[in-house]
Amino acid sequence: DTEVTQTPKHLVMGMTNKKSLKCEQHMGHRAMYWYKQKAKKPPELMFVYSYEKLSINESVPSRFSPECPNSSLLNLHLHALQPEDSALYLCASSQGVWQGRDEAFFGQGTRLTVV
Amino acid sequence: AQSVAQPEDQVNVAEGNPLTVKCTYSVSGNPYLFWYVQYPNRGLQFLLKYITGDNLVKGSYGFEAEFNKSQTSFHLKKPSALVSDSALYFCAVRDGNNAGNMLTFGGGTRLMVKP
């Protein structure tokens, strides 16, 4: 199994809503990532989890809250988002964070629209 | 600091012709270089990487890339383009001498292959 699975594929939420994005991988990877991607732009790193611990937070606003319940799952909790947060949210995983040589495997993303 | 430049926003090529998507990089240590492809509303798919060894790297779907240290380039190539190759291509770099450095993506190049 070489897949990273993200749910839901599409999400529309109001600015007062609370929602969660989910990501799952069964490749035994110990690093998992959240990226945000705007149209026709490269992905921007948001968070990195290494061995289920948050190791990097790229100064992301607190309305985005990551969670790693176990080594296979990664969640992104959303609360009080703004319309400019509308984007494609990508989850990725890799064998390790610090080895440097590993390619990342990406999920197909959640298309988020904030209204 | 590390950076990647993809000088062309879009590359147009006729089906059956060779294609090249350009990438230049800047890192202070050893470059680990990656190419990813993204189809519409999908996540990124890994194509190939250069870590060490032969300068010519072969990857998925008939793509290859040549690492040129003196020109700090890692151009993506394919001998005969297919219409189905039309997508957004991202070059990425990581400094292999700096554990903890995350991947830096280029701005992306849209490849259009016309029948």
Side-chain angles (χ1 to χ4, degrees):
Chain A
D1 184 358
T2 58
E3 281 193 352
V4 176
T5 304
Q6 287 188 246
T7 55
K9 290 185 171 54
H10 301 275
L11 179 62
V12 179
M13 60 184 291
M15 289 188 284
T16 59
N17 291 159
K18 286 185 180 180
K19 296 286 185 182
S20 296
L21 309 185
K22 297 185 183 300
C23 175
E24 190 168 4
Q25 58 88 13
H26 294 287
M27 294 177 279
H29 288 173
R30 304 317 300 264
M32 295 186 77
Y33 312 78
W34 280 115
Y35 285 87
K36 173 183 177 180
Q37 187 181 25
K38 290 282 202 179
K40 301 181 182 180
K41 297 292 187 184
E44 299 172 14
L45 184 65
M46 300 174 71
F47 302 104
V48 180
Y49 272 82
S50 175
Y51 292 89
E52 301 160 49
K53 292 189 182 340
L54 182 64
S55 57
I56 292 178
N57 176 340
E58 292 285 358
S59 303
V60 179
S62 60
R63 57 186 184 269
F64 295 91
S65 174
E67 177 196 20
C68 189
N70 60 56
S71 60
S72 300
L73 295 175
L74 186 66
N75 298 324
L76 185 63
H77 304 297
L78 314 173
H79 174 55
L81 295 193
Q82 303 296 311
E84 59 265 28
D85 296 321
S86 298
L88 182 67
Y89 287 83
L90 295 167
C91 174
S93 70
S94 65
Q95 187 68 34
V97 175
W98 310 121
Q99 293 175 18
R101 298 176 173 223
D102 305 312
E103 61 272 25
F105 289 76
F106 284 82
Q108 66 179 10
T110 294
R111 174 73 59 191
L112 174 67
T113 304
V114 182
V115 298
Chain B
Q2 57 191 40
S3 65
V4 179
Q6 293 181 241
E8 300 154 318
D9 288 337
Q10 182 161 318
V11 170
N12 297 311
V13 65
E15 188 175 30
N17 282 1
L19 69 87
T20 299
V21 182
K22 295 180 180 178
C23 170
T24 58
Y25 65 89
S26 174
V27 293
S28 53
N30 286 328
Y32 292 169
L33 294 154
F34 302 80
W35 275 104
Y36 288 87
V37 59
Q38 186 175 32
Y39 296 97
N41 297 312
R42 302 298 298 269
L44 278 67
Q45 294 180 32
F46 168 74
L47 280 179
L48 50 81
K49 66 180 177 183
Y50 172 82
I51 304 299
T52 187
D54 288 342
N55 289 344
L56 185 63
V57 179
K58 293 187 184 298
S60 306
Y61 312 121
F63 284 94
E64 59 187 30
E66 185 164 13
F67 171 64
N68 187 317
K69 187 173 182 178
S70 61
Q71 297 185 4
T72 61
S73 67
F74 190 57
H75 301 330
L76 182 70
K77 299 183 180 185
K78 187 173 182 180
S80 178
L82 299 172
V83 172
S84 57
D85 292 330
S86 300
L88 187 57
Y89 290 79
F90 290 102
C91 182
V93 69
R94 179 186 287 135
D95 186 338
N97 287 19
N98 191 342
N101 260 26
M102 293 295 110
L103 213 54
T104 296
F105 286 93
T109 298
R110 183 163 302 282
L111 174 66
M112 297 289 291
V113 181
K114 298 181 180 178

